[in-house]
Amino acid sequence: WKDAAWTRGTATQVSGLSNNVVAQRMRVFGKCNIDIQEKSYLQLLWEEALNPLYVFQVASIAIWCVEEYYYYSAAIFVISLASIGSTLVSTKHTARRVRAMANYVCTVRVLRSNVWSDMESSELVPGDVVDLAEPGLDVVPCDMVLLEGNCIVDESMLTGESVPESKVSVVSGDHVLESIDMAAHTFDPAVSRHIVFAGTRIIRARKARSSYPGSSSNSAQPFRATSMVLRTGFCTTKGTLVRSILFPHATKFRFYRDAMRFVWCLAGIACIGFIVNTINLHRLGVSPGEIAIKALDLITVAVPPALPASMSIGMVFAARRLRKAGIFCISPSRINVASKVAVVVFDKTGTLTEEGMDVLGVQTVSQTLGEFDELQTDPWELENTSTMQDPDKDAKFGGRGLSVDVALATCHSLSIVDDTLVGDPLEIKMVEFSGWSIDERNTTSDPHETPTITACPPQSSHQDIRVIVRCFEFAPELRRSSVVTSDLNGRQLAAYVKGAPEVIRDLCHPESVPKNYDTVLNTHTQGGYRVISLAGRVLDMDAAQLLNRKNIESCCASFEMLEYAH
C-alpha cells in the first residue's frame, strides 16, 4: 500500500493526519508492534508428539507392555518423557526471548489534526509525522522517511554492521517518495539513505527548521527532526527479519537425505526379519496373535528404542550451550544440521580477519615522471604537497589548488558525536593518518542551523581550514564517494573523489593516470593490502552548486593511492 500523495512526491500535510484517516488506517494495518503469538505448552507438546520417531516409540512401548516388559517399557517412557519435557522448556524459553526482542513499544511525539501530542508507538499508522529529536526516543519503532533534519543511527541489529549510518532528509526534486517501492522487502540504496528503519538505535538526531506548526505548549519551537511513517508492524524491515526467523524457508540438506536412507535401510531389514520370523513361527504352529506380537517386536528392535530420547537430550544440551553464548534457537532440530556445516563463507572485514586496519602509506603521482612515487608512510611528508608539479598539466587537468593532505582530511562522511568521530573505521584511520583535526562549526550566525564539518591542519593558520560544503556518501553501485570543499569564505572550491581504483581511473583524464597504475595496484592487492584511489578537480564557484554528482566526479586528475594493512 502507498498513499496516493506519495506518488506525487507529497508528504503528509502540515496539519498531520485527521482522526478519521487514523481510524481507517488502524483498521487496515493494525497496531504498530511486532507481537508474536506464543504457543502454549499443549501446542508444543502436540507438535513434538507427532514426531515420527516418538509415534514409533509409543507403538513400541505398547508392544512391550503386551509382552510384559514392564520395567523396560517404563524406563524408556520416563526417558522419553524427560527428553520431551526438556525440549518443550527450551523451546518455550527461547520463544519468549525472541518475542521480547521483537516487541518494542515506546512513547513518541506525533502530529495529528494540527496538534503535537505524546502517545505510544503502537498507535502509529502509515503517514503519521513523528519528531525523532524528542528525548527518550532511543530505538525507532517503525520504518520512517526523514523529512527534516538529519540523524546518525546504529543499524547493527538489522545488518550486523557496527558502523553507524548517517541519514539525511529528503530534498524537494529528489523524487524519493515517488521512487519508494512499498511492495519490495528492501529499499533502493539511493532511497535507504533517507529511511530510518525499525529496530535501529538513534545515536544522534539533529533538528532543522521545520515547516510543521509548533505545539500549544511551545508554539515558538520551529526546529525539529521530523519523519513520516512508511511501514508498521510485521511489514517493516525488522518485521521481515522476524518472520524469516519464525518461518524459515524449507531447505534440503544431504544430512536429512542420508538420515532417511539409514531409516529406510533399517525398515528394509526389519521387514525382511518380519517376513522370515512370521514364516518360521507359522511352521512351529504358533497362534496368529502371538506371531503378530513377535514379528512386531522384531521391528521395534531394528530401531534403537532410546534413539529419539538420546537425540532430544543431545539437542537440549546443545541449545543450552548455544544460549550461554547468546545464540537462541527456536527450532532445536536445526542444531543437527548446523553440526554438519563444513564451510562458512563471510564477506565482511573483521569476521575472518582481526578487527581494524591501519594506513600503510600513500603513493602520490609525480606528474613530471607520469608515474607513482615511492610509498610515503610519514604523513608530515604530505603536508602542503601539491598534486601537480608540471604547470602545463596543472592547467590542463585543473589540479591547481588540490592538495594530498586536504584530500585525506576531507574526503569522508564522518560525523562527530560527543567529541568522537563516528563513521567508517577506514575513513577514521585515514583522517588520523593525515594529522588534521575534524570539528563542527556554524558557518552562519544562526545557532540553529546545522553545523558543517571542517578540517583544520596541525599548527596552521585560520585561512588553511577547509569546509566540507557537499558530501556524496559511498554508493555501492558506484563504488565511490566524494566531497566538495572550500575555505571558510566559501572560495577555493575543490572536489575530491575516493573509491575503488578501477572506478577512479575511469573518472580521470587518461593523461593524468600514472603509467605504472596497474603495476602498483596489482603489487599491493596481491600482497593482501586494501587499496583506495583518490582524485580531485578544482570547481568553478558559480557552477559548483548547480552541478550534480555525476558532473562533479567526472574529469578529475588522479594523484594518489592509499594502502591499508591489518
Side-chain angles (χ1 to χ4, degrees):
W1 177 87
K2 188 175 183 179
D3 195 313
W6 302 352
T7 60
R8 300 189 298 269
T10 305
T12 301
Q13 57 187 350
V14 293
S15 61
L17 298 179
S18 63
N19 293 331
N20 292 334
V21 174
V22 170
Q24 182 186 28
R25 294 185 180 180
M26 183 62 72
R27 288 194 298 268
V28 175
F29 299 102
K31 294 284 188 179
C32 178
N33 57 6
I34 304 175
D35 190 8
I36 302 174
Q37 296 299 322
E38 202 174 322
K39 294 182 180 179
S40 64
Y41 280 107
L42 188 60
Q43 290 176 308
L44 293 175
L45 177 61
W46 177 255
E47 293 177 358
E48 188 72 18
L50 290 180
N51 188 308
L53 291 176
Y54 283 114
V55 173
F56 173 79
Q57 199 165 46
V58 170
S60 300
I61 292 175
I63 294 174
W64 296 332
C65 289
V66 172
E67 293 186 298
E68 299 181 353
Y69 293 154
Y70 298 122
Y71 293 109
Y72 184 69
S73 301
I76 297 299
F77 178 77
V78 170
I79 294 175
S80 301
L81 197 61
S83 65
I84 292 177
S86 300
T87 303
L88 293 183
V89 172
S90 177
T91 304
K92 185 74 170 179
H93 181 268
T94 304
R96 286 177 177 173
R97 291 294 301 266
V98 173
R99 184 173 186 266
M101 292 171 59
N103 192 14
Y104 176 76
V105 177
C106 62
T107 301
V108 293
R109 192 161 185 79
V110 186
L111 175 64
R112 287 181 181 174
S113 300
N114 210 33
V115 176
W116 287 94
S117 59
D118 295 333
M119 63 180 62
E120 287 192 348
S121 59
S122 58
E123 301 298 323
L124 294 175
V125 296
D128 268 328
V129 177
V130 181
D131 188 358
L132 293 180
E134 280 297 309
L137 182 57
D138 297 326
V139 179
V140 182
C142 55
D143 290 349
M144 309 184 196
V145 58
L146 197 59
L147 302 179
E148 298 166 335
N150 62 77
C151 61
I152 300 175
V153 297
D154 179 6
E155 297 182 346
S156 58
M157 177 182 179
L158 301 178
T159 64
E161 293 283 357
S162 59
V163 179
E165 295 286 338
S166 298
K167 302 295 181 177
V168 296
S169 57
V170 296
V171 180
S172 178
D174 285 351
H175 307 289
V176 174
L177 293 177
E178 301 98 303
S179 59
I180 292 178
D181 185 6
M182 300 297 291
H185 294 298
T186 58
F187 294 100
D188 185 82
V191 177
S192 296
R193 61 193 299 263
H194 306 286
I195 305 297
V196 184
F197 296 100
T200 58
R201 186 172 62 87
I202 299 177
I203 299 176
R204 185 193 67 191
R206 177 162 282 161
K207 301 178 182 180
R209 192 177 298 277
S210 178
S211 60
Y212 291 92
S215 63
S216 57
S217 61
N218 189 9
S219 58
Q221 183 184 3
F223 290 88
R224 290 190 179 87
T226 57
S227 60
M228 184 181 68
V229 178
L230 294 179
R231 294 171 171 171
T232 60
F234 282 98
C235 297
T236 62
T237 305
K238 177 183 176 182
T240 303
L241 177 63
V242 173
R243 289 203 311 267
S244 65
I245 295 174
L246 297 177
F247 309 102
H249 294 288
T251 52
K252 294 182 180 180
F253 293 96
R254 190 174 62 182
F255 172 77
Y256 284 147
R257 187 174 66 249
D258 293 344
M260 291 305 299
R261 288 176 179 174
F262 174 72
V263 172
W264 282 113
C265 288
L266 292 179
I269 295 173
C271 290
I272 294 174
F274 177 84
I275 295 172
V276 173
N277 193 35
T278 301
I279 295 174
N280 291 335
L281 292 176
H282 180 69
R283 289 176 179 176
L284 296 175
V286 180
S287 64
E290 191 69 19
I291 292 176
I293 293 175
K294 294 295 184 183
L296 292 174
D297 184 43
L298 183 62
I299 295 178
T300 63
V301 176
V303 178
L307 179 61
S310 301
M311 294 180 63
S312 297
I313 293 175
M315 288 186 292
V316 168
F317 277 101
R320 289 179 179 176
R321 293 171 62 187
L322 291 173
R323 191 161 57 243
K324 290 180 180 179
I327 302 173
F328 301 97
C329 180
I330 60 175
S331 180
S333 60
R334 299 272 175 172
I335 297 177
N336 288 332
V337 178
S339 66
K340 301 297 293 184
V341 174
V343 178
V344 179
V345 180
F346 297 91
D347 66 343
K348 301 297 181 185
T349 302
T351 304
L352 297 180
T353 57
E354 65 181 19
E355 290 290 341
M357 302 182 78
D358 292 319
V359 177
L360 178 66
V362 177
Q363 285 192 259
T364 57
V365 179
S366 172
Q367 294 295 344
T368 55
L369 301 177
E371 58 185 26
F372 280 114
D373 287 328
E374 294 295 324
L375 183 70
Q376 298 180 8
T377 58
D378 187 359
W380 296 104
E381 298 177 3
L382 303 174
E383 186 175 4
N384 298 324
T385 301
S386 174
T387 58
M388 300 287 175
Q389 289 80 30
D390 190 333
D392 296 332
K393 291 185 178 182
D394 180 72
K396 183 176 181 180
F397 300 141
R400 181 177 296 141
L402 300 180
S403 178
V404 174
D405 55 342
V406 173
L408 295 176
T410 60
C411 194
H412 56 78
S413 58
L414 300 176
S415 303
I416 299 178
V417 179
D418 298 331
D419 298 328
T420 303
L421 286 178
V422 175
D424 188 349
L426 297 184
E427 293 184 338
I428 295 177
K429 288 292 185 180
M430 180 182 70
V431 173
E432 292 176 348
F433 178 81
S434 70
W436 287 46
S437 59
I438 307 301
D439 194 10
E440 287 184 336
R441 64 175 65 195
N442 286 328
T443 56
T444 65
S445 58
D446 191 344
H448 294 290
E449 288 296 332
T450 302
T452 56
I453 300 294
T454 59
C456 180
Q459 301 177 354
S460 185
S461 62
H462 190 72
Q463 289 77 11
D464 294 326
I465 296 176
R466 289 295 178 267
V467 179
I468 300 179
V469 180
R470 301 176 66 182
C471 178
F472 301 98
E473 295 187 4
F474 177 79
E477 67 276 10
L478 299 177
R479 300 169 63 192
R480 65 178 184 267
S481 62
S482 61
V483 295
V484 176
T485 66
S486 71
D487 60 9
L488 287 177
N489 297 321
R491 303 177 183 275
Q492 301 179 11
L493 290 175
Y496 294 99
V497 189
K498 170 172 61 71
E502 57 272 18
V503 174
I504 300 301
R505 177 179 53 193
D506 295 338
L507 294 175
C508 298
H509 286 285
E511 296 181 30
S512 73
V513 178
K515 301 174 185 178
N516 60 343
Y517 193 95
D518 292 332
T519 302
V520 173
L521 176 61
N522 292 335
T523 300
H524 290 300
T525 54
Q526 291 176 5
Y529 299 111
R530 172 82 176 269
V531 182
I532 293 178
S533 290
L534 288 96
R537 59 175 294 198
V538 175
L539 299 176
D540 182 78
M541 291 182 59
D542 297 329
Q545 295 296 330
L546 302 178
L547 294 175
N548 56 25
R549 177 172 185 168
K550 181 179 180 181
N551 294 330
I552 288 177
E553 295 177 346
S554 62
C555 302
C556 293
S558 175
F559 57 78
E560 67 175 301
M561 267 190 183
L562 180 66
E563 287 84 34
Y564 290 92
H566 280 291

